[in-house]
Amino acid sequence: MLIKVLGSGAGGGFPQWNCNCANCSGLRAGTLAARPRTQSSLAVSDTGEDWLLVNASPDLRAQLESCPALQPARTVRDTAIAAVLIVDAQIDHSTGLMTLREHTRRLPVYCTPSVHSDLTGGYPLISVLEHYCGVDWRPVDAIGRVPFEIPEISGLTMHPIPLPSEAPPYSPRRHNPAEDDTIGIVFIDQSSGRRCLYAPGLGEWTEPLIEEAERADCLMIDGTLWNDTELMEQGAASKTGREMGHLAQSGSNGMLDQLARLRGRKILIHINNTNPILDESSPEHARLVTLGIEVAYDGMEIEL
Ligand code: MLT
Ligand code: MN
Ligand code: ZN
């Protein structure tokens, strides 16, 4: 299994267009030991020929340009994206669907019924795409935890798992989410049996999640915030991580404590621009190094 990190940042990316927090201004000034990051997306493949786009970010066009494997140029209009999988209906994970409107066939989109209802309701990207390439919706049953395969990428099996988080701000279920508003995915390589758990929006650990995490060879886990209140403390916004459905890394029972007991390779992903771990000379980054936890970056490649 091959995994390419197209975008390792959270909503807004890094630097965020209107943000002058210490990280964003330090990156712009060239005084911070950090790399820029685009918004949250992966590409996953079995053989490297056909790819599953996992989340379609607002930065998708630039992400595709930076990844030649996704543009094999076999015909005048071509792509190696066989299908799209969307794990929640947040703006940072879905807006790139609009970038794919010139697709020459109906675009296969895997998502849960709750995500589909937001993307045909409060943020009707899928409805709008009907006037362009059209969408072939392939429902994901995360509540039933029904595994699925994608015909074009037949060496992989996907196991969906519901995650406690929040629905998007525009959703009628914002603070009362359905079980399948946010999901994680275990990607399993059928030949090697190796497993990668991807969960970029995770508010709380559940027993089924812990079981999957213990079996995973690689974890790509919500790295949005270091501290639950960092957006407020930095004067950047008035929301806590908890209100947004993201479990912070620090604190007792925070993400670092949860990861400590796991054997697999641990990678934080979906990192908000205020997070001190982005500064590679920070004590928080040093702590991750000590714990053997990696920070995803754009262009990171994982082979499992
Ligand atoms: C989130 O995961 O909470 C989002 O990144 C928010 C957003 O896209 O604005
Ligand atoms: Mn997000
Ligand atoms: Zn910032």
Side-chain angles (χ1 to χ4, degrees):
M1 159 165 46
L2 303 165
I3 302 171
K4 287 180 191 286
V5 176
L6 299 178
S8 53
F14 178 46
Q16 178 176 310
W17 70 283
N18 64 345
C19 189
N20 299 297
C21 72
N23 279 347
C24 289
S25 49
L27 186 72
R28 279 191 204 100
T31 54
L32 197 78
R35 329 179 188 209
R37 284 171 166 84
T38 62
Q39 297 171 77
S40 182
S41 176
L42 301 179
V44 182
S45 180
D46 48 0
T47 62
E49 196 171 333
D50 293 299
W51 293 82
L52 175 64
L53 180 69
V54 185
N55 297 322
S57 100
D59 301 321
L60 181 59
R61 189 183 163 282
Q63 292 169 341
L64 298 183
E65 281 300 307
S66 70
C67 187
L70 294 172
Q71 180 45 271
R74 298 162 292 201
T75 57
V76 66
R77 292 273 164 106
D78 194 23
T79 178
I81 298 172
V84 185
L85 165 64
I86 297 189
V87 301
D88 63 50
Q90 297 273 3
I91 284 177
D92 60 341
H93 283 162
S94 58
T95 304
L97 285 175
M98 290 295 101
T99 297
L100 301 176
R101 65 191 175 283
E102 298 95 353
H103 195 44
T104 52
R105 297 179 293 282
R106 292 181 76 75
L107 183 69
V109 174
Y110 291 79
C111 66
T112 66
S114 289
V115 169
H116 187 261
S117 89
D118 277 341
L119 296 182
T120 50
Y123 188 35
L125 296 173
I126 288 179
S127 313
V128 172
L129 269 187
E130 278 309 319
H131 302 278
Y132 297 85
C133 58
V135 165
D136 172 19
W137 176 38
R138 304 195 182 160
V140 172
D141 181 358
I143 297 173
R145 299 189 57 193
V146 178
F148 61 97
E149 286 168 19
I150 293 173
E152 297 81 357
I153 309 171
S154 55
L156 298 182
T157 305
M158 273 58 65
H159 285 223
I161 178 166
L163 299 179
S165 187
E166 295 288 348
Y170 67 81
S171 171
R173 298 176 304 283
R174 170 59 165 164
H175 291 304
N176 184 22
E179 269 189 87
D180 63 348
D181 267 310
T182 304
I183 64 169
I185 298 282
V186 184
F187 297 98
I188 304 170
D189 185 287
Q190 289 169 5
S191 54
S192 68
R194 289 173 73 83
R195 307 167 81 92
C196 177
L197 169 62
Y198 173 61
L202 173 57
E204 202 183 303
W205 285 70
T206 59
E207 272 310 315
L209 178 68
I210 291 169
E211 275 168 33
E212 282 297 354
E214 284 170 347
R215 297 171 72 188
D217 300 289
C218 179
L219 298 108
M220 303 182 85
I221 293 281
D222 189 337
T224 311
L225 302 175
W226 177 261
N227 183 327
D228 190 53
T229 53
E230 81 191 33
L231 288 170
M232 280 141 82
E233 279 159 27
Q234 299 190 34
S238 56
K239 296 176 194 167
T240 63
R242 209 165 274 129
E243 277 162 5
M244 297 189 299
H246 296 293
L247 176 66
Q249 283 116 57
S250 62
S252 107
N253 284 325
M255 200 62 88
L256 299 187
D257 282 358
Q258 301 290 345
L259 293 177
R261 58 174 126 159
L262 303 173
R263 66 171 181 91
R265 180 173 174 187
K266 298 156 198 136
I267 303 168
L268 294 171
I269 196 159
H270 187 279
I271 301 146
N272 195 59
N273 54 75
T274 50
N275 191 326
I277 64 175
L278 290 170
D279 175 356
E280 290 166 22
S281 63
S282 67
E284 292 85 355
H285 189 274
R287 179 141 171 240
L288 295 185
V289 173
T290 309
L291 295 170
I293 298 172
E294 297 169 68
V295 184
Y297 52 88
D298 293 16
M300 184 180 204
E301 295 188 0
I302 294 154
E303 199 171 337
L304 274 181

